[in-house]
Amino acid sequence: MTTPTGQRRRVRATDSKEKLFEAAMKLLGSRSPESVSVDEIAAAAGVSKGTVYYNFGSKNELVSQILSYGAHKLMGELARAASGEDPYLALRQMLEFSMDFVANYPSFAHLWMQEQLNADTTNALADTPLHTQVTGLIIEVLERLVVLEPDQKLSVATSIFGAALFTARMRASGRTGLDREQTVRAVLLTVDGLRPTRPAAGS
């Protein structure tokens, strides 16, 4: 059976974005976006410079789309983890995947955080689509796990998201001696403190 032309184009576009994402993450690992050219990213990805400009128009748009593509990859896995039956295990798996994602793509976390710091809005972090989507997933899991007041949900979810992102970035840059399990446990302490204490056996 022949694959429809439109589907083939979508597959090629997805493949190109994956290649560009992987290439950009490697190049931006030790250099700023300003010092990395479109030519370098295109060559590392194995696509033509014309293809990059045809699909993205400019380097700024390319960086923006790379961030969006990375966020989509991250959200896909987090959503799968969040759907697990055990909410505590789901949250743990979300944290573990986040740690692994940042370990594999430290440039993504660095670039994303830099974009937020350079934003014009006073509350850029809380207004970005990635933050909104991730905290939304965390809230969904928290609602199955602990009892929170409506005005507490976003603040707790934001704290978990921020702690996970920051500590994962610190680990990726070698600035902390905490291993993956220690880091996950440290972030989960926020949730542990909100869970009802079980009565001691025999009490």
Side-chain angles (χ1 to χ4, degrees):
M1 180 178 178
T2 303
T3 304
T5 301
Q7 186 175 342
R8 287 201 301 270
R9 288 174 179 169
R10 286 195 294 273
V11 171
R12 286 198 297 268
T14 299
D15 288 345
S16 294
K17 285 185 178 181
E18 178 68 24
K19 290 176 181 178
L20 287 167
F21 177 76
E22 295 286 346
M25 290 300 98
K26 291 178 181 178
L27 290 172
L28 296 171
S30 58
R31 297 162 61 188
S32 66
E34 293 76 19
S35 65
V36 177
S37 69
V38 171
D39 285 23
E40 289 178 282
I41 296 175
V47 302
S48 69
K49 181 180 177 180
T51 297
V52 175
Y53 279 115
Y54 176 79
N55 285 287
F56 304 103
S58 67
K59 189 170 82 170
N60 285 342
E61 182 62 21
L62 169 62
V63 171
S64 176
Q65 288 297 316
I66 285 172
L67 282 173
S68 295
Y69 185 77
H72 180 74
K73 284 172 68 74
L74 175 62
M75 280 302 303
E77 292 299 326
L78 291 181
R80 276 189 280 275
S83 65
E85 290 186 12
D86 183 334
Y88 193 81
L89 180 59
L91 185 58
R92 166 180 274 279
Q93 290 177 341
M94 290 170 72
L95 291 170
E96 289 172 344
F97 177 78
S98 297
M99 298 293 164
D100 294 341
F101 187 85
V102 174
N104 290 330
Y105 305 111
S107 302
F108 174 81
H110 175 73
L111 189 60
W112 183 81
M113 292 175 74
Q114 185 179 54
E115 289 286 306
Q116 309 320 305
L117 291 174
N118 291 337
D120 294 330
T121 57
T122 56
N123 193 24
L125 178 64
D127 288 336
T128 59
L130 177 59
H131 176 273
T132 300
Q133 292 174 44
V134 173
T135 52
L137 278 178
I138 294 173
I139 288 172
E140 288 179 15
V141 175
L142 286 174
E143 287 177 334
R144 297 159 52 201
L145 186 62
V146 296
V147 177
L148 293 172
E149 297 296 327
D151 60 346
Q152 294 178 318
K153 294 178 182 179
L154 182 58
S155 59
V156 172
T158 297
S159 296
I160 292 172
F161 174 71
L165 184 65
F166 181 75
T167 53
R169 182 71 184 101
M170 292 288 283
R171 283 192 66 242
S173 61
R175 296 180 184 178
T176 177
L178 293 176
D179 61 26
R180 179 176 178 266
E181 175 61 19
Q182 289 172 315
T183 304
V184 170
R185 284 295 310 136
V187 177
L188 284 174
L189 286 173
T190 301
V191 177
D192 292 340
L194 297 169
R195 301 177 80 187
T197 302
R198 294 181 179 178
S203 62

